[in-house]
Amino acid sequence: MTGLADDLLRGAGLCRQGPLRLHFATDLTATHTLHTSQGPAWLKVSDTGQEARLTRHLAAQHPTLVPPLLGADPQRGALLTGDGGTLLDGVGDLGAWTGALERLARFQCATDAAALAAHGAPALPLAQMTERVDALLGDLAALRGWGLSAQEVTTLQAARAQIRAAFLDLHQHGLPDLPAHGDAHPRNVLHSAARGPVWFDWSEAASAAHPFMDAGWFLAFALHPSRAGLPVWQAHDAADRMAGTYLHALGAPDAAPLLHRALPLALLHRAAVYDVAFRNWQGTVPGVRPNYVPY
């Protein structure tokens, strides 16, 4: 890892100061922190080159969207970025949160979907995902395999018709499928006074998805009861102001009720994506695999 970091740093005209320190590791990724002649940096090495490839593309096209890019080597699955600031969920300033959602909406509206697809980002259009969610909800063995309780399985299967109707409401509203971050939650955003909010972890970016699958995942993640103590909730009407800023930037200011109803759909969308990727996945630790959050 040290040699890889030094190779990327040389490409940026920088040098390492001190050793790499392991921050986090799974079968899929390993992240190290390090110091450079220009300050802190992060080295992420993944099992594929997807994140490095997409982040390099986005940094070229939307330089304010992502943390400072110091180097990317898709063939070795390596991505080196400069310090982008503080994780958003530790920031109390509501303006940082609304800024992150505004930047997400502008990415969705302005990004070249065909270019993302050419860089390997899959398409997850609403019509296809409606069928995939319904198929998952009808697969008793798969639901049990993901660890859902009997009551949770019963509740989900009883709601299939209602869920299809809610997806149909999204379709009939008319917002098109747009590029998506794919894992747009507050711990994938950094904030600093110098750069404002920047988004990272583009490994699951899609070339097309309903935009509320990103925004709904963000809001559902932040509004989960376990996160009631986040500093941002001290702000008055924080959730409504987040949603309003996002929808205004998206050009759909009338869609607030629809966005709030779409939060559980975004969770189901996420579950269906993970089911395809990881239902039969085998890692180095028996019985352990990446999991979606089934709230």
Side-chain angles (χ1 to χ4, degrees):
M1 291 293 178
T2 298
L4 177 55
D6 289 343
D7 287 347
L8 292 172
L9 286 168
R10 276 193 294 271
L14 301 174
C15 59
R16 178 171 49 85
Q17 297 180 339
L20 272 66
R21 299 187 183 277
L22 180 64
H23 175 72
F24 181 75
T26 69
D27 278 342
L28 302 175
T29 65
T31 304
H32 292 77
T33 61
L34 62 149
H35 284 274
T36 78
S37 49
Q38 284 189 358
W42 296 79
L43 173 67
K44 184 175 182 180
V45 181
S46 304
D47 64 332
T48 75
Q50 183 78 335
E51 184 175 356
R53 184 164 46 249
L54 287 169
T55 303
R56 184 171 64 184
H57 167 72
L58 291 169
Q61 300 300 316
H62 308 280
T64 62
L65 177 67
V66 300
L69 180 63
L70 303 180
D73 186 341
Q75 289 190 329
R76 292 191 281 179
L79 180 67
L80 184 67
T81 56
D83 186 27
T86 303
L87 285 172
L88 185 63
D89 66 350
V91 177
D93 177 16
L94 178 59
W97 288 71
T98 56
L101 284 164
E102 180 178 18
R103 192 156 285 181
L104 177 66
R106 298 199 183 285
F107 152 76
Q108 291 172 327
C109 292
T111 299
D112 185 342
L116 282 183
H119 284 83
L124 304 170
L126 182 64
Q128 178 191 107
M129 294 307 299
T130 300
E131 299 305 319
R132 282 170 58 174
V133 167
D134 188 64
L136 176 59
L137 296 182
D139 191 330
L140 190 60
L143 295 177
R144 288 173 174 166
W146 281 110
L148 273 68
S149 70
Q151 182 59 55
E152 288 169 332
V153 170
T154 298
T155 299
L156 285 170
Q157 293 196 318
R160 282 176 72 184
Q162 184 180 358
I163 290 165
R164 285 192 71 93
F167 274 117
L168 180 61
D169 286 345
L170 282 186
H171 175 75
Q172 291 180 337
H173 182 265
L175 278 172
D177 294 313
L178 296 171
H181 179 281
D183 191 12
H185 62 73
R187 292 188 64 82
N188 276 338
V189 187
L190 299 165
H191 183 270
S192 68
R195 298 179 69 89
V198 292
W199 286 86
F200 68 99
D201 192 358
W202 291 91
S203 59
E204 298 177 69
S207 58
H210 193 281
F212 289 1
M213 299 303 100
D214 263 355
W217 177 241
F218 182 99
L219 291 170
F221 188 103
L223 288 166
H224 189 265
S226 67
R227 300 184 179 91
L230 289 178
V232 71
W233 298 130
Q234 300 300 312
H236 178 64
D237 291 336
D240 287 341
R241 290 161 69 182
M242 289 180 204
T245 298
Y246 170 78
L247 291 168
H248 181 79
L250 192 69
D254 63 328
L258 194 63
L259 172 58
H260 287 295
R261 291 200 301 272
L263 267 59
L265 304 184
L267 302 182
L268 291 166
H269 168 101
R270 179 93 176 137
V273 170
Y274 258 53
D275 180 63
V276 169
F278 298 115
R279 183 189 294 191
N280 300 312
W281 185 81
Q282 295 293 325
T284 59
V285 181
V288 176
R289 60 179 171 171
N291 196 359
Y292 62 91
V293 183
Y295 37 82

